[in-house]
Amino acid sequence: MLNQKMQKAINEQINKEFYSEYLYLSMAAYLEDQGLSGMANFMKVQAEEERFHAMKFFDYVNERGGRVFLKQIDQPEEEFDSVLAVFENSLEHEQFVTKSINELMDIAIEINDHATRSFLNWYVDEQVEEEDTFCNIVYQLKLIDGKGNGLLMMDKEMAGRTFTPPASE
Ligand code: OFO
């Protein structure tokens, strides 16, 4: 049975993951509007990943005999100053989510919930990847410094991203 404090914190995390899905979809809409459909595709796939993160928590709560409570999802930002700003915001958002996952882990440790600690390890690793992905894109965008050719090359490359749920799921 899932401890009440843990359940409440995971429910809050579920909301953050769905907000992440919404935020990345909003970024995809902005990027489409900028004529960068490859980058928009990248964000749509990112949104699918976030839904996967949310549903993985959702299923875990149920598996542990807990109860999921869905709360209102905040409206995401709609306008961005530039393509670089989109990815800088994404990196910042992922750093916020990492902090939030770490706080969940702190609770699991505090209450000796070994099952949740083990479950959360997946998210700890995932956040390393998430931050690394956005960090690299920010770095590349700074390198090309808003130049059309570079942007188009990155856009083409990002068009190829597809969503592949982890094999074990
Ligand atoms: Fe769910 O990792 Fe991004 O937000």
Side-chain angles (χ1 to χ4, degrees), residues 147-167:
K147 305 245 167 28
N149 273 358
L151 261 186
L152 289 178
M153 268 175 67
M154 281 183 76
D155 187 62
K156 203 171 166 199
E157 194 183 318
M158 289 161 93
R161 187 184 190 195
T162 54
F163 176 62
T164 335

mmCIF file of all heavy atoms in Angstrom, residues 147-167:
data_model
loop_
_atom_site.group_PDB
_atom_site.id
_atom_site.type_symbol
_atom_site.label_atom_id
_atom_site.label_comp_id
_atom_site.label_asym_id
_atom_site.label_seq_id
_atom_site.Cartn_x
_atom_site.Cartn_y
_atom_site.Cartn_z
ATOM 1 N N LYS A 147 21.644 31.474 -37.839
ATOM 2 C CA LYS A 147 21.857 31.496 -39.294
ATOM 3 C C LYS A 147 20.912 30.510 -39.988
ATOM 4 O O LYS A 147 20.746 29.358 -39.555
ATOM 5 C CB LYS A 147 23.303 31.136 -39.635
ATOM 6 C CG LYS A 147 24.318 32.018 -38.943
ATOM 7 C CD LYS A 147 25.117 32.853 -39.924
ATOM 8 C CE LYS A 147 25.927 33.963 -39.269
ATOM 9 N NZ LYS A 147 26.379 33.786 -37.919
ATOM 10 N N GLY A 148 20.285 30.963 -41.067
ATOM 11 C CA GLY A 148 19.283 30.174 -41.799
ATOM 12 C C GLY A 148 19.724 28.777 -42.162
ATOM 13 O O GLY A 148 19.006 27.804 -41.890
ATOM 14 N N ASN A 149 20.913 28.656 -42.751
ATOM 15 C CA ASN A 149 21.379 27.333 -43.204
ATOM 16 C C ASN A 149 21.482 26.338 -42.064
ATOM 17 O O ASN A 149 21.030 25.199 -42.173
ATOM 18 C CB ASN A 149 22.780 27.458 -43.836
ATOM 19 C CG ASN A 149 22.681 27.797 -45.299
ATOM 20 O OD1 ASN A 149 21.562 27.897 -45.815
ATOM 21 N ND2 ASN A 149 23.820 27.996 -45.950
ATOM 22 N N GLY A 150 22.105 26.797 -40.995
ATOM 23 C CA GLY A 150 22.276 25.930 -39.824
ATOM 24 C C GLY A 150 20.931 25.522 -39.247
ATOM 25 O O GLY A 150 20.706 24.353 -38.910
ATOM 26 N N LEU A 151 20.025 26.474 -39.165
ATOM 27 C CA LEU A 151 18.690 26.192 -38.607
ATOM 28 C C LEU A 151 17.978 25.145 -39.449
ATOM 29 O O LEU A 151 17.373 24.211 -38.928
ATOM 30 C CB LEU A 151 17.841 27.473 -38.605
ATOM 31 C CG LEU A 151 17.718 28.266 -37.325
ATOM 32 C CD1 LEU A 151 16.731 29.400 -37.506
ATOM 33 C CD2 LEU A 151 17.288 27.396 -36.139
ATOM 34 N N LEU A 152 18.076 25.317 -40.775
ATOM 35 C CA LEU A 152 17.398 24.373 -41.665
ATOM 36 C C LEU A 152 18.003 22.976 -41.554
ATOM 37 O O LEU A 152 17.287 21.963 -41.608
ATOM 38 C CB LEU A 152 17.435 24.865 -43.121
ATOM 39 C CG LEU A 152 16.541 26.081 -43.394
ATOM 40 C CD1 LEU A 152 16.666 26.548 -44.823
ATOM 41 C CD2 LEU A 152 15.072 25.773 -43.062
ATOM 42 N N MET A 153 19.318 22.915 -41.363
ATOM 43 C CA MET A 153 19.965 21.603 -41.205
ATOM 44 C C MET A 153 19.491 20.925 -39.915
ATOM 45 O O MET A 153 19.188 19.731 -39.889
ATOM 46 C CB MET A 153 21.487 21.756 -41.184
ATOM 47 C CG MET A 153 22.099 21.624 -42.564
ATOM 48 S SD MET A 153 23.860 21.947 -42.534
ATOM 49 C CE MET A 153 24.425 20.551 -41.589
ATOM 50 N N MET A 154 19.445 21.705 -38.858
ATOM 51 C CA MET A 154 18.965 21.146 -37.577
ATOM 52 C C MET A 154 17.506 20.728 -37.691
ATOM 53 O O MET A 154 17.086 19.695 -37.171
ATOM 54 C CB MET A 154 19.119 22.169 -36.446
ATOM 55 C CG MET A 154 20.531 22.258 -35.910
ATOM 56 S SD MET A 154 20.634 23.403 -34.514
ATOM 57 C CE MET A 154 19.899 22.426 -33.194
ATOM 58 N N ASP A 155 16.727 21.539 -38.390
ATOM 59 C CA ASP A 155 15.301 21.239 -38.549
ATOM 60 C C ASP A 155 15.123 19.903 -39.276
ATOM 61 O O ASP A 155 14.296 19.071 -38.889
ATOM 62 C CB ASP A 155 14.635 22.368 -39.345
ATOM 63 C CG ASP A 155 13.137 22.200 -39.390
ATOM 64 O OD1 ASP A 155 12.510 22.238 -38.318
ATOM 65 O OD2 ASP A 155 12.587 22.011 -40.487
ATOM 66 N N LYS A 156 15.943 19.703 -40.307
ATOM 67 C CA LYS A 156 15.859 18.470 -41.097
ATOM 68 C C LYS A 156 16.201 17.261 -40.218
ATOM 69 O O LYS A 156 15.535 16.229 -40.250
ATOM 70 C CB LYS A 156 16.850 18.582 -42.259
ATOM 71 C CG LYS A 156 16.512 17.691 -43.417
ATOM 72 C CD LYS A 156 17.375 17.996 -44.609
ATOM 73 C CE LYS A 156 17.221 16.841 -45.588
ATOM 74 N NZ LYS A 156 18.292 16.780 -46.547
ATOM 75 N N GLU A 157 17.250 17.432 -39.428
ATOM 76 C CA GLU A 157 17.691 16.336 -38.563
ATOM 77 C C GLU A 157 16.616 16.002 -37.508
ATOM 78 O O GLU A 157 16.325 14.838 -37.236
ATOM 79 C CB GLU A 157 18.983 16.770 -37.868
ATOM 80 C CG GLU A 157 19.737 15.633 -37.218
ATOM 81 C CD GLU A 157 20.964 16.158 -36.490
ATOM 82 O OE1 GLU A 157 21.658 17.042 -37.041
ATOM 83 O OE2 GLU A 157 21.185 15.705 -35.356
ATOM 84 N N MET A 158 15.997 17.031 -36.975
ATOM 85 C CA MET A 158 15.011 16.820 -35.902
ATOM 86 C C MET A 158 13.689 16.271 -36.423
ATOM 87 O O MET A 158 12.869 15.761 -35.646
ATOM 88 C CB MET A 158 14.826 18.116 -35.105
ATOM 89 C CG MET A 158 16.069 18.414 -34.263
ATOM 90 S SD MET A 158 16.174 20.114 -33.727
ATOM 91 C CE MET A 158 15.395 20.021 -32.140
ATOM 92 N N ALA A 159 13.517 16.331 -37.734
ATOM 93 C CA ALA A 159 12.298 15.770 -38.342
ATOM 94 C C ALA A 159 12.277 14.249 -38.205
ATOM 95 O O ALA A 159 11.227 13.620 -38.270
ATOM 96 C CB ALA A 159 12.225 16.157 -39.813
ATOM 97 N N GLY A 160 13.445 13.666 -37.991
ATOM 98 C CA GLY A 160 13.544 12.204 -37.957
ATOM 99 C C GLY A 160 13.244 11.586 -36.596
ATOM 100 O O GLY A 160 13.213 10.358 -36.464
ATOM 101 N N ARG A 161 13.009 12.415 -35.602
ATOM 102 C CA ARG A 161 12.792 11.825 -34.250
ATOM 103 C C ARG A 161 11.444 11.108 -34.197
ATOM 104 O O ARG A 161 10.428 11.625 -34.671
ATOM 105 C CB ARG A 161 12.809 12.940 -33.195
ATOM 106 C CG ARG A 161 12.772 12.383 -31.789
ATOM 107 C CD ARG A 161 12.696 13.479 -30.741
ATOM 108 N NE ARG A 161 12.901 12.921 -29.415
ATOM 109 C CZ ARG A 161 12.613 13.543 -28.273
ATOM 110 N NH1 ARG A 161 12.127 14.769 -28.311
ATOM 111 N NH2 ARG A 161 12.818 12.959 -27.121
ATOM 112 N N THR A 162 11.472 9.901 -33.627
ATOM 113 C CA THR A 162 10.209 9.168 -33.449
ATOM 114 C C THR A 162 10.081 8.747 -31.983
ATOM 115 O O THR A 162 11.087 8.658 -31.275
ATOM 116 C CB THR A 162 10.164 7.887 -34.317
ATOM 117 O OG1 THR A 162 11.324 7.114 -34.037
ATOM 118 C CG2 THR A 162 10.104 8.206 -35.801
ATOM 119 N N PHE A 163 8.872 8.490 -31.585
ATOM 120 C CA PHE A 163 8.658 8.054 -30.200
ATOM 121 C C PHE A 163 8.728 6.540 -30.102
ATOM 122 O O PHE A 163 7.977 5.827 -30.749
ATOM 123 C CB PHE A 163 7.290 8.531 -29.699
ATOM 124 C CG PHE A 163 6.996 8.024 -28.305
ATOM 125 C CD1 PHE A 163 7.805 8.379 -27.237
ATOM 126 C CD2 PHE A 163 5.915 7.188 -28.075
ATOM 127 C CE1 PHE A 163 7.549 7.913 -25.952
ATOM 128 C CE2 PHE A 163 5.643 6.714 -26.789
ATOM 129 C CZ PHE A 163 6.458 7.071 -25.732
ATOM 130 N N THR A 164 9.660 6.050 -29.302
ATOM 131 C CA THR A 164 9.759 4.612 -29.083
ATOM 132 C C THR A 164 9.702 4.368 -27.578
ATOM 133 O O THR A 164 10.654 4.672 -26.870
ATOM 134 C CB THR A 164 11.131 4.076 -29.594
ATOM 135 O OG1 THR A 164 11.622 4.948 -30.599
ATOM 136 C CG2 THR A 164 11.048 2.665 -30.099
ATOM 137 N N PRO A 165 8.590 3.828 -27.108
ATOM 138 C CA PRO A 165 8.529 3.534 -25.670
ATOM 139 C C PRO A 165 9.560 2.476 -25.292
ATOM 140 O O PRO A 165 9.845 1.590 -26.108
ATOM 141 C CB PRO A 165 7.101 3.005 -25.456
ATOM 142 C CG PRO A 165 6.454 2.969 -26.779
ATOM 143 C CD PRO A 165 7.397 3.422 -27.828
ATOM 144 N N PRO A 166 10.147 2.563 -24.102
ATOM 145 C CA PRO A 166 11.135 1.571 -23.684
ATOM 146 C C PRO A 166 10.603 0.143 -23.871
ATOM 147 O O PRO A 166 9.439 -0.123 -23.564
ATOM 148 C CB PRO A 166 11.359 1.886 -22.213
ATOM 149 C CG PRO A 166 10.979 3.318 -22.087
ATOM 150 C CD PRO A 166 9.922 3.580 -23.110
ATOM 151 N N ALA A 167 11.449 -0.753 -24.374
ATOM 152 C CA ALA A 167 11.038 -2.116 -24.750
ATOM 153 C C ALA A 167 10.361 -2.864 -23.604
ATOM 154 O O ALA A 167 9.415 -3.625 -23.810
ATOM 155 C CB ALA A 167 12.238 -2.881 -25.244
#
